[in-house]
Amino acid sequence: MRLLIADDSFIEGTGLTTLLTGMGHQVLGTAVRAEQVLPMVARTMPDLVVMDIRMPPTNTDEGIRLTAAIRDRHPSIAVLVLSKYVEPSYAATLLAGGVTRIGYLLKDNVSRPAVLQDAMTRIVAGGTAIEEELVAQLLRRPGDAALDSLTAREVEVLKLMAQGLSDRGIADRLGVSTATVSTHGQQTFYKLGLPKAKSDNRRVQAVLEYIRRTPHPPAKEHRDER
């Protein structure tokens, strides 16, 4: 893949470049400030932008806003947003813009090449990759009758769906048949009141529906993140 990195940390940016190059990808450049990102994207037109969620000048939500701008101007370019913290409100904003060619991962997982490669492959192909811990936190939130009605197995399947796994991928992970996964999925869609649709986006919509219906506190400031 042809990649662009947006990260103001020299150490993290260099580490990502080394890791991704070692995985066989071409790193076209690294943006270290928010204002550099969009011009670099327009000039290089990468397959994927690996985006830090916090960048100068404010080190708050630049990554989220830049991702929205990239998706608006260059919808064919995938974006993988990286964060040191699980922040549901930022994730909700990110995913509200659509569930194709988008990923949200914790930086801790970036050091695991198999996890990183899987996420990158899925979102460049038009899919979604959502951090497992984010999904787990969302599903632990009480007070939603539809979510509370799901069985333990349906919740398990829903978590894996939200991460972007296919029915075959879920079946392999859980050691069940694809027919069983499909049955659990259909029950989940029914309980969440999701309309029938042919698109695979319906799978991710099952979790996004919960995100949109559940109030989330503003993301906390993490000035000591770096």
Side-chain angles (χ1 to χ4, degrees), residues 2-6 28-31 37 40-41 44 46 48-51:
R2 300 170 68 255
L3 311 176
L4 184 67
I5 296 173
L28 304 174
T30 301
V37 175
M40 288 185 70
V41 169
T44 62
L48 171 71
V49 179
V50 181
M51 177 82 68

Side-chain angles (χ1 to χ4, degrees), residues 12-222:
E12 292 182 355
T14 300
L16 266 175
T17 298
T18 300
L19 175 64
L20 293 168
T21 301
M23 293 166 61
H25 302 294
Q26 180 185 4
V27 177
L28 304 174
T30 301
V32 296
R33 292 186 63 84
E35 62 268 24
Q36 297 174 327
V37 175
L38 295 178
M40 288 185 70
V41 169
R43 185 171 68 252
T44 62
M45 292 300 290
D47 301 311
L48 171 71
V49 179
V50 181
M51 177 82 68
D52 192 350
I53 203 168
R54 300 173 185 276
M55 295 188 68
T58 69
N59 290 318
T60 54
D61 64 345
E62 280 84 359
I64 297 297
R65 290 186 279 115
L66 285 167
T67 297
I70 291 170
R71 299 174 82 186
D72 180 58
R73 301 181 190 186
H74 310 287
S76 65
I77 296 177
V79 182
L80 176 60
V81 177
L82 304 179
S83 176
K84 284 190 175 180
Y85 304 91
V86 172
E87 298 170 309
S89 63
Y90 282 169
T93 300
L94 183 70
L95 296 169
V99 294
T100 59
R101 295 185 175 84
I102 193 68
Y104 183 102
L105 289 183
L106 286 177
K107 287 187 174 182
D108 286 348
N109 277 327
V110 173
S111 61
R112 301 164 59 192
V115 174
L116 180 59
Q117 182 63 56
D118 179 64
M120 291 168 53
T121 299
R122 273 192 273 142
I123 64 177
V124 168
T128 306
I130 304 177
E131 172 62 45
E132 182 176 0
E133 179 57 27
L134 170 65
V135 177
Q137 283 198 22
L138 291 172
L139 294 179
R140 284 197 297 265
R141 291 175 179 268
D144 189 287
L147 263 294
D148 292 342
S149 72
L150 299 180
T151 66
R153 180 60 93 180
E154 287 166 353
V155 168
E156 202 169 13
V157 169
L158 180 53
K159 287 180 181 180
L160 296 174
M161 281 185 176
Q163 293 168 49
L165 271 67
S166 65
D167 280 3
R168 168 51 62 190
I170 295 172
D172 291 343
R173 183 78 64 88
L174 299 180
V176 299
S177 69
T178 54
T180 297
V181 172
S182 178
T183 297
H184 288 309
Q186 292 301 320
Q187 284 298 310
T188 298
F189 299 149
Y190 173 76
K191 291 178 180 180
L192 294 180
L194 298 178
K196 291 184 178 181
K198 294 182 179 180
S199 173
D200 287 343
N201 285 353
R202 189 186 187 206
R203 298 157 54 82
V204 181
Q205 289 291 344
V207 167
L208 296 189
E209 179 68 15
Y210 181 60
I211 294 175
R212 290 167 183 152
R213 292 188 306 196
T214 305
H216 304 290
K220 295 180 180 179
E221 294 287 339
H222 295 293

